[in-house]
């Protein structure tokens, strides 16, 4: 009898590593940082002329308005989903729902308006960085000004983290980092390495008094 | 290193961008009518100014949009306005 296939997170093997690191950092005074994996969700890449984006049937099908301001995101379906600004006529829609029917429903609305909706759920995976030091960690390999004043919750940005292209999503409690699947192992290694900065200094080395 | 101002995303690190050559070479209005020599001139011959140069740039690590920018070839400083989608 064939074994039952169970879907797993593409970064499953990093779960115990990130959990152990988070537990270790929790014991370090003055450090507020927790690392984890973003749950796998459906993702749809939406292309649509921005002038069509506010029409009632588009807003109704989406369950909310698309962000028109660059580098921001909005909530869909009362917070169940997110619409992330990728470009002047491109958005990434993310929600925990079946991807196929969602893609079909969106395409039925934006298709006649010259737009496109494509299921890209397998394209990206991601990490959750939580705590006040999430932005400090990212700042070690990202040129953007990530301080809350310039990158407040509700912001998002496609940029480079280390050598990998990422999509940073600022939330109330930290930052979500979406990355293309083929760069995910590199980024996991980069994050684990960067997090070394927050480990306690071994006894002796920090004593300069 | 310098910040380049993407017309959509705002100021971003230079490494997020890729150059696309001069924005001052228009596509031939009637390509089929061109002689081989004229076609070669369109494909290969480019201005190489010393000073301000109007160029295509792509925000390849960000919004992936093309825009036209003015760059001084002597200093590699971006000097002029950035225009989305038009030279
Ligand atoms: Zn941009």
């Amino acid at each position: 009898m064939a074994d039952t296939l169970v879907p797993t997170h593409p970064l499953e093997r990093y779960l115990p590593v990130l959990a152990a690191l988070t537990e270790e950092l929790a014991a370090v005074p003055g450090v507020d940082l927790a690392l984890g994996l973003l749950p796998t969700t459906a993702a749809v890449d939406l292309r649509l002329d921005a002038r069509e984006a506010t029409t009632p049937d588009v807003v109704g099908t989406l369950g909310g308005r698309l962000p028109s301001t660059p580098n921001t995101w909005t909530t869909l379906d009362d917070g169940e989903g997110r619409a992330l600004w990728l470009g002047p006529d491109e958005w990434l829609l993310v929600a925990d729902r079946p991807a196929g029917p969602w893609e079909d429903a969106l395409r039925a609305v934006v298709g006649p308006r010259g737009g496109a909706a494509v299921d890209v759920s397998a394209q990206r995976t991601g990490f959750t960085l939580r705590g006040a030091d999430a932005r400090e960690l990212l700042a070690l390999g990202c040129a953007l000004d990530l301080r809350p004043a310039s990158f407040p919750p509700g912001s998002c940005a496609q940029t480079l983290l280390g050598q990998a292209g990422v999509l940073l999503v600022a939330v109330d409690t930290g930052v979500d980092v979406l990355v293309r699947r083929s760069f995910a192992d590199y980024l996991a290694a980069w994050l684990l390495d960067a997090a070394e900065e927050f480990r306690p200094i071994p006894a002796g080395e920090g004593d300069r008094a | 290193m310098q910040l380049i101002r993407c017309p959509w995303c705002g100021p971003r690190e230079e490494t997020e961008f890729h150059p696309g050559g001069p924005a001052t070479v228009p596509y031939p209005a009637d390509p089929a009518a061109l002689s081989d020599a004229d076609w070669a001139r369109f494909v290969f011959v480019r201005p190489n100014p010393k000073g301000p140069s109007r160029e295509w740039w792509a925000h390849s690590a960000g919004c992936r949009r093309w825009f036209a920018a003015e760059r001084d070839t002597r200093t590699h400083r971006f000097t002029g306005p950035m225009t989305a989608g038009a030279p």
Side-chain angles (χ1 to χ4, degrees):
Chain A
M1 200 177 87
D3 291 335
T4 308
L5 292 174
V6 180
T8 57
H9 196 286
L11 298 173
E12 184 106 336
R13 67 186 176 286
Y14 290 102
L15 266 176
V17 186
L18 295 172
L21 176 63
T22 297
E23 195 181 322
E24 192 181 338
L25 293 175
V28 182
V31 172
D32 180 16
L33 179 61
L35 296 89
L37 298 180
L38 266 181
T40 50
T41 54
V44 173
D45 187 282
L46 185 77
R47 300 295 301 266
L48 184 65
D49 189 318
R51 288 167 295 189
E52 304 276 1
T54 51
T55 51
D57 56 341
V58 172
V59 175
T61 306
L62 286 166
R65 291 175 92 80
L66 292 167
S68 55
T69 308
N71 303 321
T72 61
W73 61 276
T74 54
T75 55
L76 304 175
D77 288 329
D78 295 323
E80 295 295 306
R82 292 175 183 173
L84 304 143
W85 187 92
L86 295 184
D89 58 359
E90 185 174 13
W91 295 268
L92 183 70
L93 312 178
V94 183
D96 188 13
R97 56 190 291 177
W102 196 22
E103 179 193 36
D104 293 340
L106 290 164
R107 183 177 293 152
V109 173
V110 301
R113 299 175 179 279
V118 180
D119 174 11
V120 293
S121 306
Q123 186 184 19
R124 292 181 177 88
T125 182
F127 301 87
T128 58
L129 308 179
R130 294 292 178 266
D133 288 320
R135 292 154 185 273
E136 296 292 326
L137 176 70
L138 292 171
L140 295 168
C142 180
L144 281 187
D145 182 355
L146 294 172
R147 289 173 296 178
S150 355
F151 197 67
S155 306
C156 65
Q158 298 176 92
T159 185
L160 294 171
L161 180 59
Q163 300 293 319
V166 292
L167 176 51
L168 302 180
V169 185
V171 298
D172 287 334
T173 49
V175 181
D176 292 345
V177 183
L178 283 82
V179 62
R180 291 187 180 83
R181 178 65 189 86
S182 52
F183 284 89
D185 282 289
Y186 162 78
L187 202 69
W190 187 91
L191 287 169
L192 290 169
D193 181 58
E196 290 290 320
E197 294 284 331
F198 297 89
R199 282 178 195 269
I201 299 165
E205 288 181 34
D207 303 334
R208 302 227 169 84
Chain B
M1 286 299 207
Q2 63 181 317
L3 296 175
I4 299 176
R5 186 173 293 276
C6 168
W8 298 107
C9 305
R12 294 294 187 94
E13 182 73 15
E14 188 180 332
T15 50
E16 294 189 10
F17 297 84
H18 272 97
T24 49
V25 183
Y27 193 81
D30 186 5
L34 256 56
S35 68
D36 285 356
D38 285 341
W39 186 251
R41 203 167 289 122
F42 164 69
V43 174
F44 299 113
V45 179
R46 289 290 179 271
N48 186 21
K50 181 179 180 182
S53 173
R54 196 81 189 142
E55 299 172 334
W56 288 115
W57 283 78
H59 190 192
S60 39
C63 64
R64 298 185 295 126
R65 263 50 186 192
W66 285 94
F67 59 94
E70 191 178 288
R71 182 180 65 98
D72 192 311
T73 59
R74 295 166 299 188
T75 59
H76 189 44
R77 291 291 150 209
F78 284 76
T79 47
M82 312 293 193
T83 7

